[in-house]
DNA sequence: ATATGTTTTAAACTATCGTATGAAACAACT
DNA sequence: AGTTGTTTCATACGATAGTTTAAAACATAT
């Protein structure tokens, strides 16, 4: 059998054991937190033996980071794909607003699906209080590749942009989007029904308009 | 020695053991969460024996709820005192705006002190994810006494108000204030320095103006 | 000083935690 | 069949969790 093979006739479900463990762990970590979840609970929910956690992931901590890695690569791919699509649709010279809107929508994608977003929200709220994922992983898996892609696309959309200052603009853009995520997270946790559902589209419109104006002002100031 | 007596020559500090335990527990629960804090850690930080937690509080859970009770009674007293003061200053017939402003400021008091607010914020963020304090306690210690006081004051400030609908107005008012707390909580957790400090005074101004208009419209609609 | 009630202490208890182990079960190939 | 490499399993390990216990230390009153 090959080293990366998967068994076929497993007992609990049709999914391989690794995925069942990741799914069960994500649900339990989201509901009860890292310390409040035991590997026995996870293995039981995944329908497999306790030792499988160590066999496949090398420990509870590693399993937790792998739960996150799954989300991180998904985020990265969604953002990279959004940028590539705008680039190809515009023949390599996208309108600034289109680029910003596409990226913002990809950024906020995980929070649009109401059914799955709650689990991810809880996971994120917990991770924001107790940081357990190594920062390097977050930087390497998401920030670096996303940033360089946005950077390239921004330069095509706004040729007059100063290359030395472009990182600041991207950080600022991501900061606005993270802000939206934070507000949305808070609204989800709030049980007070009085507050209407937070409108992501409205937030995206604002950020696109605001950032486009800011970036253009920046570009003109540098080139004049 | 009386049954509620306190020893004088304790070893760790000048405070009694109960208070030292509550202080240490609050700090540790705020930093590492309930599951992430052991009673040995708490006792060690408080400079006393492990058994003291069970001797004085009857267990780790009870200690946690007592940490919260301390905050809850403080909240309740601050709000009640604010209402009493407005009532006495106005000779029992306060202006609606004064009443609302005074209550709102008392409500948001714990979040104005920047030095102590962070610990309480963390504690609250954790409690919002994992509810461990019995809801009855929150209702009995804060909601009920506060509500009836606000109700009485509101009736004096707005005699035309329908008594059967007044609870809804109070819930609505508290909901707005909790909303402000949530946003503030989020801003504190956010590490992004780009966002300016959240202005509580601005929020209070808005809520006072908005709620006063709403309540007056309500009262007029019911009395005409 | 003796007696009484309270507080503090060190140690032990049971339960559960994350992890490690070695044998059994299994699948794929010679 | 027999061999090989992978996966599953029951079980055990050491560490630590929250809690309990009983004796020692202490303060106060008679």
């Amino acid at each position: 059998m090959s080293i990366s093979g998967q068994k076929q006739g497993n007992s609990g479900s049709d999914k391989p054991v690794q995925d069942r463990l990741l799914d069960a762990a994500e649900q339990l970590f989201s509901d009860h937190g890292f310390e409040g979840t035991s590997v026995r609970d996870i293995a039981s929910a995944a329908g497999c033996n306790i030792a499988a956690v160590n066999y496949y992931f090398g420990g509870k901590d590693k399993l937790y980071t792998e739960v996150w890695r799954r989300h991180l690569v998904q985020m990265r791919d969604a953002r990279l794909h959004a940028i590539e699509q705008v680039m190809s649709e515009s023949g390599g010279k996208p309108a600034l607003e289109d680029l910003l809107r596409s990226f913002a929508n990809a950024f906020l994608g995980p929070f649009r699906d109401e059914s799955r977003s709650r689990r991810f929200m809880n996971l994120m709220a917990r991770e924001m209080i107790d940081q357990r994922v190594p920062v390097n992983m977050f930087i390497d898996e998401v920030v670096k590749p996303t940033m360089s892609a946005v950077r390239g696309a921004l330069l095509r959309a706004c040729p007059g942009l100063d290359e030395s200052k472009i990182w600041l603009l991207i950080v600022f853009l991501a900061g606005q989007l993270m802000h939206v995520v934070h507000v949305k997270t808070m609204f989800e946790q709030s049980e007070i029904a009085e507050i209407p559902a937070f409108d992501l589209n409205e937030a995206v419109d604002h950020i696109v308009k605001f950032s486009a104006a800011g970036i253009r002002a920046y570009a003109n100031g540098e080139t004049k």
Side-chain angles (χ1 to χ4, degrees), chain A:
Chain A
M1 190 178 231
S2 72
I3 196 168
S4 61
Q6 295 171 355
K7 82 182 286 246
Q8 286 169 320
N10 47 18
S11 54
S13 161
D14 54 341
K15 280 178 161 182
V17 192
Q18 293 98 317
D19 292 346
R20 301 211 312 271
L21 278 172
L22 287 168
D23 292 340
E26 177 166 331
Q27 184 69 58
L28 289 168
F29 285 148
S30 162
D31 286 343
H32 311 114
F34 183 82
E35 318 262 10
T37 304
S38 71
V39 292
R40 284 169 177 80
D41 293 337
I42 298 170
S44 171
C48 66
N49 195 266
I50 323 162
V53 170
N54 281 278
Y55 180 74
Y56 283 109
F57 296 96
K60 187 187 177 186
D61 306 281
K62 308 274 186 63
L63 173 58
Y64 179 82
T65 67
E66 289 308 311
V67 166
W68 266 98
R69 189 190 303 278
R70 214 164 48 157
H71 283 287
L72 295 183
V73 304
Q74 183 181 321
M75 286 179 178
R76 179 198 58 201
D77 292 345
R79 295 172 194 180
L80 293 182
H81 177 260
I83 293 171
E84 284 167 16
Q85 192 166 3
V86 167
M87 291 297 275
S88 72
E89 280 177 357
S90 63
K93 192 137 188 10
L96 181 55
E97 273 83 359
D98 293 340
L99 172 63
L100 292 174
R101 178 174 305 277
S102 179
F103 180 71
N105 280 325
F107 196 104
L108 300 176
F111 308 100
R112 300 200 99 100
D113 181 2
E114 196 62 34
S115 64
R116 267 173 295 184
S117 71
R118 173 165 290 276
R119 200 176 50 224
F120 183 56
M121 289 273 199
N122 270 6
L123 210 60
M124 175 164 258
R126 295 183 187 281
E127 176 68 21
M128 289 196 319
I129 302 181
D130 299 316
Q131 188 154 344
R132 272 179 244 271
V133 174
V135 285
N136 293 337
M137 177 173 151
F138 187 70
I139 301 288
D140 292 343
E141 297 278 5
V142 184
V143 178
K144 275 175 161 180
T146 300
M147 267 213 166
S148 69
V150 173
R151 180 191 142 92
L154 257 184
L155 279 174
R156 301 302 300 267
C158 255
L161 228 46
D162 181 4
E163 297 207 20
S164 70
K165 298 289 174 60
I166 198 168
W167 298 115
L168 242 167
L169 291 175
I170 299 176
V171 169
F172 196 93
L173 173 64
Q176 288 178 287
L177 290 166
M178 275 304 293
H179 180 188
V180 171
V181 171
H182 283 151
V183 174
K184 174 94 170 140
T185 304
M186 180 214 65
F187 275 28
E188 295 291 320
Q189 281 178 28
S190 167
E191 294 294 332
I192 302 160
E194 149 230 337
I195 302 170
F198 185 73
D199 189 4
L200 282 181
N201 295 319
E202 211 173 333
V204 169
D205 285 343
H206 171 266
I207 290 178
V208 168
K209 198 182 214 170
F210 186 79
S211 297
I215 291 173
R216 287 219 175 82
Y218 216 90
N220 294 340
E222 295 290 333
T223 53
K224 83 171 176 203

